[in-house]
Amino acid sequence: MIAITARSPCHLQISQGHFKRLWLNPELTTRAIAAQLGVSKQAVLSRAKYYDLPRRIHIAKRIEGGELFAEMWAAGVPMYGINAHFKRGKNWADRCAKRAGLPSRGKGWTGKISVEDFMADRLRKRMEASARADRAQWRNAEMVDGKSGNWAVAAR
């Protein structure tokens, strides 16, 4: 049982080991830790400083659709297109790219591919990968003639 006093945020009574486990958990934000302990975010930050814990890496600040976002950014989809696709504000894509450690695009950068073209290309690549996997399964199941690549006809 964790004893928490309501005197002030600095008088948070929790074992150092339990607090350290919460602090070092990358899935929890400082707000989530504060909510779990029933104190303010500032109380959590003060306690971490008191225990001389390392600064948190902002792992918990995950980007919605992170893989898709990173692919769109790397492919050169313009920021306004990414913002529109995720239904976000004007500078959202730029802030997320900085937070995720993606390379900056700089001033005067112009988009290379539209969102529609990117999504079509992504779908095409996925379909090709799926077709390759299906062909490999058919070959392994001996459903395709190995010499010509045609369907094998079963003898009746």
Side-chain angles (χ1 to χ4, degrees):
M1 179 89 183
I2 301 169
I4 300 173
T5 61
R7 293 190 313 220
S8 83
C10 293
H11 293 16
L12 175 64
Q13 293 180 354
I14 182 173
S15 72
Q16 184 174 358
H18 182 66
F19 185 83
K20 188 175 182 179
R21 280 190 298 278
L22 292 172
W23 183 258
L24 296 176
N25 182 351
E27 299 298 320
L28 293 175
T29 63
T30 50
R31 282 197 175 102
I33 295 170
Q36 193 172 354
L37 299 176
V39 295
S40 69
K41 178 182 171 182
Q42 187 57 45
V44 171
L45 295 172
S46 297
R47 183 54 45 166
K49 187 174 182 179
Y50 177 79
Y51 286 145
D52 199 30
L53 294 175
R55 291 186 62 171
R56 292 187 62 147
I57 300 171
H58 298 290
I59 297 171
K61 288 187 175 180
R62 303 229 191 282
I63 300 169
E64 295 174 26
E67 278 186 35
L68 177 60
F69 176 84
E71 284 179 41
M72 291 173 94
W73 189 266
V77 176
M79 280 192 277
Y80 67 83
I82 296 173
N83 292 336
H85 178 77
F86 287 99
K87 296 181 175 100
R88 298 295 180 167
K90 181 180 176 185
N91 297 320
W92 179 82
D94 191 39
R95 287 192 313 268
C96 285
K98 285 179 185 172
R99 190 173 32 187
L102 298 174
S104 176
R105 290 184 169 174
K107 288 187 176 182
W109 186 90
T110 56
K112 297 177 182 176
I113 184 172
S114 69
V115 176
E116 294 79 16
D117 291 342
F118 169 79
M119 295 304 267
D121 188 49
R122 186 172 185 246
L123 178 61
R124 180 188 55 78
K125 287 176 183 174
R126 285 184 169 184
M127 289 174 72
E128 286 173 355
S130 176
R132 279 192 302 275
D134 287 346
R135 281 193 297 268
Q137 283 180 340
W138 294 339
R139 261 187 247 111
N140 290 340
E142 297 179 1
M143 295 172 63
V144 177
D145 182 11
K147 295 177 185 171
S148 63
N150 295 325
W151 287 95
V153 179
R156 290 188 189 217

